[in-house]
Amino acid sequence: MYRPDFRNLVRRPEAGSILSLIVVIAFYVIFGGVQLGNLFGAASWVNFAANLGIVALPVGLLMIAGELDISIGAMIPAGSMSIAVISGYYGLPIVVGIGAALGIGILVGLLNGILAVRTSVPSLIITLGTLVAMQGIVLTASVLITGNASVPLNAPEWAKMIFGQLLGGNYQIIILWWLAVTAIYAVVLHQTRFGNWIFAMGGDKESARNAGIPTRRLTVWLFVLSSTSASFVGMCGAILFNSAQVSGGMNYIFNAVVSVVVGGVLLTGGFGSAIGIFFGTITFAIVNQGIYFTSIDRNWSSLIIGIMLLVAVLMNNTFRNMALTYAPKKK
């Protein structure tokens, strides 16, 4: 008779995120009086998680590889403003606006990746520089071109249907994109050689390079993936809400890193999973949005998030040590 090895299950990278999710839900139910039916049926945290999750997944892959991208905070408004200015202000076809929004993500990702592999400057500093630079570029370009920091956009029906539709009146279509890319990331990270390369890079980049892994090329592509994903989220938001603003996006930096860490990814790299990031995003979204379904004072949300992050870091470090020291019993 098959018996699940719970000791082996708890050593998996996503174990911490699943346990954190259970603890958060239990906390809200016991101390906040949350009705599970109301919580699970709410669209607010699901929409929040979908937008955040698309950004958090590539950021998580970068962190597994030992890098970090915080320029995502500027790429979200950059993506939304690009499509709004080109297809809203100038009236060019929406396809041109979509191409521009994704194109700017690719260009910034290439810049981040090339600087990361060709210099000795840490990726945190590099992406901090591109974050500030892109904020200035987006704001200045918007004011000079349109004379305003907010630009309206009226997307055609087909674009709305693919990128900015509301399912059931409340659920954003980006939820389906999030589920699809999560499945793709899970397969690539855990079932292909590219995933093995990413883990090897996070463990020891020099040894990975000596083993023949194209660390430089893969690093560049991971940065491109991160920036483009952020600009994609901004683009979808502009299509959904029929407008774009130069503000917004900065919260995604903190939110994405917290979701990734809660999802079981170590800040030092080399350990994590796509499923863990998925559950980490859900956990953060419920913590962030679920408090509105309780009688708890809203001012406590930041404290809950902070405690959750600290506990998750400690749990993930413990699970990683358990995984590294685990030796299956001999038959």
Side-chain angles (χ1 to χ4, degrees):
M1 181 178 179
Y2 173 74
R3 289 184 177 181
D5 188 348
F6 292 104
R7 291 178 300 175
N8 188 32
L9 291 176
V10 82
R11 292 178 175 90
R12 297 182 61 85
E14 57 269 21
S17 61
I18 296 175
L19 288 176
S20 297
L21 177 59
I22 295 173
V23 169
V24 166
I25 294 175
F27 175 84
Y28 278 155
V29 170
I30 296 172
F31 297 101
V34 170
Q35 299 293 325
L36 291 180
N38 295 335
L39 179 63
F40 292 149
S44 58
W45 70 265
V46 183
N47 292 332
F48 181 90
N51 285 273
L52 176 60
I54 290 180
V55 178
L57 281 163
V59 169
L61 264 62
L62 267 173
M63 290 175 63
I64 292 174
E67 304 289 350
L68 182 62
D69 182 7
I70 64 172
S71 66
I72 55 174
M75 294 313 302
I76 291 174
S80 63
M81 289 301 295
S82 296
I83 189 172
V85 169
I86 290 176
S87 298
Y89 184 78
Y90 285 113
L92 295 177
I94 195 69
V95 174
V96 178
I98 292 173
L102 299 180
I104 195 171
I106 293 173
L107 289 177
V108 174
L110 285 173
L111 177 62
N112 287 335
I114 291 172
L115 290 176
V117 300
R118 293 191 177 182
T119 69
S120 58
V121 181
S123 57
L124 171 63
I125 305 301
I126 292 172
T127 55
L128 175 61
T130 52
L131 167 69
V132 177
M134 285 305 300
Q135 283 181 318
I137 291 173
V138 171
L139 176 59
T140 303
S142 176
V143 173
L144 287 177
I145 294 173
T146 69
N148 205 326
S150 179
V151 181
L153 171 67
N154 187 17
E157 284 302 317
W158 70 264
K160 282 274 190 182
M161 184 178 298
I162 298 174
F163 302 110
Q165 181 183 183
L166 286 177
L167 304 175
N170 295 307
Y171 297 92
Q172 298 176 15
I173 190 68
I174 201 171
I175 296 172
L176 300 182
W177 284 94
W178 175 43
L179 296 175
V181 297
T182 298
I184 294 172
Y185 280 123
V187 171
V188 171
L189 186 61
H190 303 293
Q191 303 294 331
T192 71
R193 61 177 181 174
F194 300 105
N196 293 332
W197 290 352
I198 292 173
F199 282 111
M201 288 168 56
D204 189 333
K205 190 165 292 186
E206 193 63 33
S207 297
R209 185 181 298 112
N210 294 334
I213 296 175
T215 57
R216 292 175 176 267
R217 190 189 317 159
L218 188 55
T219 298
V220 172
W221 280 114
L222 287 175
F223 274 107
V224 169
L225 191 61
S226 177
S227 292
T228 307
S229 297
S231 61
F232 174 81
V233 169
M235 179 195 78
C236 291
I239 293 175
L240 174 63
F241 297 111
N242 300 315
S243 67
Q245 297 181 345
V246 296
S247 61
M250 290 300 292
N251 288 338
Y252 275 83
I253 300 173
F254 172 79
N255 296 349
V257 172
V258 171
S259 298
V260 169
V261 173
V262 172
V265 176
L266 292 182
L267 293 172
T268 52
F271 188 80
S273 74
I275 300 301
I277 298 171
F278 175 79
F279 280 106
T281 304
I282 293 177
T283 302
F284 182 83
I286 290 180
V287 169
N288 191 280
Q289 299 292 312
I291 196 168
Y292 296 105
F293 295 86
T294 72
S295 57
I296 301 174
D297 189 334
R298 307 299 183 265
N299 295 322
W300 288 97
S301 60
S302 295
L303 176 61
I304 296 173
I305 293 173
I307 294 176
M308 180 190 70
L309 176 59
L310 291 174
V311 172
V313 170
L314 294 174
M315 284 196 304
N316 292 339
N317 186 61
T318 301
F319 293 155
R320 177 178 181 271
N321 291 334
M322 292 172 64
L324 292 175
T325 59
Y326 173 66
K329 293 181 179 181
K330 296 181 180 180
K331 296 182 179 180

